[in-house]
Amino acid sequence: MPSTSKMAQLKTDLERSLDRRASVARYRANRRHTRELFDVVAPEAYETRPIELRNPIVFYEGHLPAFSVNTLVKKGLGRPGIDPRFEVLFERGIDPEDESAVPGTPAGWPSREAIRAYGRAADDAIVAALLNDDVAREDNPVLSGGLAVETILEHERMHQETLLYLWHRLPHDQKRAPTGAPRPVLGGDAPARRRVRVPAGRATLGAKRGEIPFGWDNEFQEHAVLVPEFQIDVHDVTNRDYLEFVRAGCYDREDLWSEEGWRWRTEHGVRHPVFWERRNGELRWRGMFEELPLAPAWPVFVSHAEASAYARWRDSRLPTEPEFHRAAYGTPSGAERAFPWGDEPPDPSRANFDFATWDPVPVGSFPAGASAWGIHDLLGNGWEWTSTVFAPFPGFEPMPSYPVYSTDFFDGKHWVMKGGSLATGKELLRRSVRNWFRGNYPYVYATFRTVKSE
Ligand code: AVJ
Ligand code: FE
C-alpha cells in the first residue's frame, strides 16, 4: 500500500499530464483562431498599417510566436530561442503618443513565408515544452503556478482582439468574411435613455494573489473602495444618443473638451467617431465586411476624449473604475458577484463576447446578463471607458513573466477600460481584468455610459 504522500504524488502526476494536454489543446486552439483571423485579410494588405499608431499587420504574425518563445522558452526555461533576429524584431508592439512619434520600422519585413516557418517552429517548441518540460516549476518565479504558460495563452487571446479592430480599419475589398459568418443584427430604435440609482456601498477591486489561477500584474492586490451613491445609465450610449451630440455641433464646442481632447479633435479634423463614415452627406457605419446604416441601438464606439465631451454635454461624467465595479458586481444586500448576473460563468445568453459577432449588437440584447441594479451590457459588446487614470493598485508588483506589461503605461496618459467587447475572450471577462488606452485612441471596440452624483 503506497503511503499517503506517495498517493498524493501519483495524483499530481496524473493531474499534471492532464494539465499538460489541456495547455497544448488551449495553445493549439488559440493558434488556429489566430490563423483563421489572418485568413480574413487579403495577401496584398499584409504589409499595410491599418492604424498609424500600431505596427503593420505583418508584425503581429511574428509577434505572437516570438512573444511565446521569448516568455516561455527563453525567459522561463532558460533555453535558446529559435531565431534571435525575429525574437528582437517581433518582441514588442508600439504605443506612440501621436502619428509624429511613430518609431521607424524595418525598410523590409521578413517574407511571409519566413514568418510562417518561424511560427511553425515556435509552435513545435512550445508544444514540446508544454508536454515534456517542467513548465510550472515552483522554484522559478517565471514558471511558478503556470505563470508563463498562462501569460502566453492570454497574450495571444488579447492580440486576437487587436487583430479584429485592426481589420475593422481595412477597406472592405481587402477582407473576406469566413463562410457562415453571422450577419449584422441592426435592431430597431434604441431604448429610451434612463439612469438607475446605485446606493453608496463597497466595491472590491482587483484580486488576491493565489486566489485566481492567473491574473496580469495590474489586477493585484485586492482592495475595497467605498463608493458614494451615484446614478448610471442603464444602457451604453448608443449611436442614436451620440448622433444628437454630433448634430448639436459639439465637435465645434471647445468648452466641452479637455485640452488634449480638443487638440486631438482639431489636429486630426475629427468630426464624428472613426466607426462612422460620411457618405453623400449621410452618416453610415463602417462595418467589418460592409458599410451599414448607422444602427441607432448599437453602442457608439469612441475615444476617451469623445466620450468625456459627450458626458459633459449631458451635464454628467464618465464613471470611475470603482463605480463601474459597484454597478456591475454590487448588489443591494452588499454581497458582490463574480459577474454582473451572478456567479455562473459567461455564456452567449449573457453577453456578446468571444468573437460571436463581427460588429456590435443592439444594447439591451441580453436581459439575462443585467446586473443586480438592472444595468445592461456591462460585459461584452464594447469595453467601457472610465474616468480613472491607469495606475497600479496598492501592492502592485511587476509580473516575473513579463515585467513591462503594465509599468510602461503608468504615465498618467492612459485610462482604464472595463468590461470587454465582442472580441474579448471568455477568460478575460474575469472581474479583475483592466484594459487601458490613451485618451486619443478611437479604434478600439470601446463605448461608455454616463453617471451623475446628486
Ligand atoms: C492591455 C490591450 C492595452 O494591446 O497594447 C499585448 C495588451 N500588451 N501585448 C495592448 C498587450 C502586450 C495591451 N492592452
Ligand atoms: Fe503583445
Side-chain angles (χ1 to χ4, degrees):
M1 180 86 183
S3 69
T4 19
S5 69
K6 182 76 186 166
M7 294 279 284
Q9 182 61 43
L10 285 170
K11 185 159 171 270
T12 54
D13 286 349
L14 174 61
E15 278 171 357
R16 280 202 188 123
S17 92
L18 291 174
D19 282 355
R20 286 177 187 285
R21 280 185 289 161
S23 325
V24 171
R26 286 167 66 200
Y27 183 78
R28 293 274 193 217
N30 242 353
R31 300 295 289 146
R32 192 177 321 116
H33 186 205
T34 298
R35 219 163 30 243
E36 287 165 5
L37 290 174
F38 272 94
D39 286 344
V40 165
V41 173
E44 62 269 24
Y46 191 60
E47 291 198 8
T48 66
R49 193 191 270 271
I51 297 178
E52 274 308 304
L53 302 172
R54 290 294 179 269
N55 280 315
I57 293 172
V58 43
F59 165 82
Y60 292 92
E61 200 165 37
H63 175 57
L64 289 166
F67 180 87
S68 296
V69 169
N70 283 334
T71 305
L72 182 64
V73 177
K74 292 164 80 176
K75 197 174 174 79
L77 297 168
R79 293 212 307 252
I82 293 163
D83 181 333
R85 188 169 77 95
F86 278 28
E87 282 139 22
V88 171
L89 181 63
F90 294 120
E91 186 176 3
R92 241 189 137 195
I94 58 167
D95 177 39
E97 185 144 13
D98 58 38
E99 287 74 3
S100 68
V102 174
T105 44
W109 290 92
S111 70
R112 186 162 202 183
E113 210 178 316
I115 295 172
R116 289 202 165 160
Y118 175 83
R120 284 191 297 273
D123 290 348
D124 291 346
I126 300 291
V127 168
L130 293 174
L131 289 175
N132 307 317
D133 288 305
D134 203 354
V135 288
R137 52 186 297 171
E138 296 303 322
D139 62 354
N140 178 331
V142 174
L143 301 174
S144 171
L147 183 68
V149 174
E150 296 297 327
T151 301
I152 67 169
L153 290 170
E154 277 202 14
H155 176 260
E156 184 138 359
R157 294 294 274 155
M158 285 193 306
H159 274 308
Q160 288 163 351
E161 177 160 6
T162 314
L163 297 181
L164 218 70
Y165 77 68
L166 281 171
W167 289 188
H168 224 111
R169 311 312 321 153
L170 285 172
H172 294 133
D173 63 4
Q174 293 182 2
K175 290 179 276 198
R176 194 158 1 122
T179 43
R183 297 278 309 141
V185 178
L186 297 174
D189 194 13
R193 288 190 295 112
R194 188 161 67 82
R195 291 198 184 103
V196 68
R197 186 183 79 96
V198 178
R202 190 190 57 189
T204 305
L205 277 66
K208 283 200 182 89
R209 283 196 185 85
E211 281 201 354
I212 54 174
F214 171 76
W216 296 91
D217 51 10
N218 62 67
E219 295 173 50
F220 305 107
Q221 286 284 54
E222 186 179 282
H223 60 290
V225 179
L226 193 62
V227 184
E229 176 181 320
F230 61 99
Q231 310 215 20
I232 183 163
D233 293 344
V234 166
H235 294 293
D236 292 316
V237 173
T238 61
N239 288 330
R240 192 258 338 254
D241 303 333
Y242 197 85
L243 188 57
E244 294 176 14
F245 170 80
V246 174
R247 291 214 170 120
C250 297
Y251 277 76
D252 293 317
R253 279 188 52 186
E254 187 173 352
D255 61 307
L256 297 173
W257 298 72
S258 70
E259 206 180 305
E260 332 89 85
W262 184 250
R263 198 175 328 120
W264 169 74
R265 160 20 235 132
T266 48
E267 280 175 12
H268 293 77
V270 184
R271 308 294 306 168
H272 54 72
V274 288
F275 283 85
W276 295 10
E277 240 146 55
R278 195 174 281 283
R279 177 101 41 228
N280 309 322
E282 197 196 347
L283 284 163
R284 309 265 297 165
W285 177 270
R286 182 189 178 109
M288 179 61 94
F289 296 117
E290 62 196 303
E291 194 183 286
L292 295 165
L294 194 56
W298 285 4
V300 71
F301 290 157
V302 288
S303 67
H304 187 271
E306 291 168 306
S308 308
Y310 173 96
R312 184 176 290 187
W313 178 63
R314 295 272 189 213
D315 191 24
S316 62
R317 57 183 174 80
L318 299 183
T320 63
E321 185 179 15
E323 283 169 340
F324 181 94
H325 269 260
R326 179 94 180 116
Y329 306 109
T331 64
S333 75
E336 292 174 82
R337 297 171 164 179
F339 299 101
W341 52 84
D343 291 330
E344 303 82 20
D347 72 60
S349 76
R350 308 279 194 185
N352 182 26
F353 63 98
D354 225 347
F355 303 82
T357 62
W358 296 87
D359 282 291
V361 298
V363 302
S365 295
F366 304 94
S371 80
W373 320 104
I375 305 164
H376 287 248
D377 305 312
L378 289 150
L379 290 187
N381 221 19
W383 291 93
E384 301 201 9
W385 288 110
T386 73
S387 62
T388 299
V389 171
F390 184 55
F393 285 160
F396 170 86
E397 303 234 18
M399 60 204 292
S401 55
Y402 187 22
V404 293
Y405 177 66
S406 304
T407 47
D408 277 5
F409 304 95
F410 295 148
D411 58 1
K413 296 176 177 172
H414 291 76
W415 303 90
V416 173
M417 295 190 327
K418 289 289 294 182
S421 84
L422 58 98
T424 305
K426 188 174 178 155
E427 56 276 54
L428 286 157
L429 297 184
R430 67 175 171 270
R431 187 170 89 177
S432 51
V433 165
R434 309 169 77 201
N435 200 353
W436 66 89
F437 283 96
R438 291 180 186 275
N440 61 1
Y441 198 65
Y443 305 110
V444 196
Y445 303 122
T447 184
F448 68 107
R449 56 188 93 219
T450 71
V451 303
K452 270 187 103 136
S453 15
E454 234 51 334

